[in-house]
Amino acid sequence: MMQMKLTTAGIVAAALGLGACTDPATIGTPGSKTQKGAVLGGIIGAGVGAIANDSDRGLGAVTGALVGATAGGVIGNQLDAQERELRQTLANDGITIVNTGDRLILSFPNDLTFATDSAAVAPAVQGDLRRVADSLVRYPNSTIQVIGHTDSDGDAGYNQGLSERRANAVASQIQAGGVPYHRMRIIGRGEAQPVASNLTPEGKARNRRVEVVVIPQAA
């Protein structure tokens, strides 16, 4: 009796094939976030399917790849659309948006968002946080991490507390815009996760930030 034998390459090829046809208008472009999401979902789904179906690992892997690729493509589509909308609506150029393919990372520089040594959100940014909240309300199938960061100046313990207070202040603005609190996880990282050198004023300015990370969930 012939047994089905599937290699990892074959499974990934199946995921790629499904990802390429999920939405020809958007994921036919090489390197698009939607296609990356479909491929990643397919690979993860293949692994889950292979493990979950001991009686026929090959069939389980293919099924998992197809389901995972479909879910990944849907998530990629959502992220692409949400990213476009946010770029069109946010008023401050200092707020950056990075689409990694499985999440959006919005970075609010502390020098724009807070006065020195303060955890009160500046009025100039409150409108943008309301726009972010509006977007999160329109895309309810996601969880949100609000993460505070500081530079390395001063006492590490104080910086940790300041990062937590600032993350809480941003989360409160988002909640006031209609986003349920249970969708958010509030984190303070203090000076532990710099994105630039703390040896220059420019690097320190980049490290002082609050990130709003939007992570879509499969429906």
Side-chain angles (χ1 to χ4, degrees):
M1 183 176 181
M2 184 181 296
Q3 289 187 340
M4 181 184 297
K5 292 184 179 180
L6 293 175
T7 66
T8 301
I11 293 169
V12 174
L16 277 167
L18 182 63
C21 67
T22 303
D23 184 355
T26 57
I27 59 179
T29 303
S32 76
K33 297 299 190 301
T34 304
Q35 189 172 25
K36 289 178 182 177
V39 172
L40 179 60
I43 293 171
I44 295 171
V48 172
I51 293 170
N53 193 340
D54 289 333
S55 62
D56 190 342
R57 289 179 180 272
L59 182 58
V62 168
T63 302
L66 295 176
V67 172
T70 300
V74 170
I75 286 174
N77 270 325
Q78 173 179 323
L79 283 174
D80 289 344
Q82 192 171 15
E83 178 191 6
R84 284 193 301 270
E85 292 176 12
L86 284 168
R87 289 190 185 280
Q88 291 170 358
T89 58
L90 294 183
N92 282 294
D93 293 337
I95 301 168
T96 62
I97 304 173
V98 175
N99 184 342
T100 68
D102 67 343
R103 65 192 61 198
L104 293 180
I105 303 173
L106 288 77
S107 185
F108 290 77
N110 283 348
D111 293 357
L112 174 69
T113 312
F114 302 100
T116 301
D117 202 30
S118 171
V121 176
V125 181
Q126 291 178 10
D128 282 317
L129 285 173
R130 283 194 297 271
R131 296 179 187 99
V132 170
D134 289 342
S135 176
L136 294 172
V137 169
R138 289 196 304 274
Y139 292 89
N141 294 325
S142 63
T143 59
I144 304 106
Q145 295 177 351
V146 184
I147 310 173
H149 303 270
T150 70
D151 62 26
S152 62
D153 284 353
D155 178 74
Y158 180 83
N159 287 338
Q160 175 63 33
L162 181 62
S163 71
E164 293 171 3
R165 293 192 297 275
R166 286 177 166 175
N168 271 292
V170 168
S172 293
Q173 291 281 324
I174 293 173
Q175 183 187 24
V179 179
Y181 198 75
H182 66 79
R183 287 179 61 189
M184 291 187 280
R185 182 185 175 201
I186 303 168
I187 306 166
R189 298 293 190 201
E191 59 190 60
Q193 292 184 343
V195 293
S197 171
N198 276 308
L199 299 178
T200 66
E202 294 79 13
K204 290 178 182 179
R206 288 184 59 195
N207 292 333
R208 297 189 296 266
R209 68 202 188 276
V210 173
E211 294 172 332
V212 177
V213 183
V214 183
I215 307 172
Q217 306 295 311

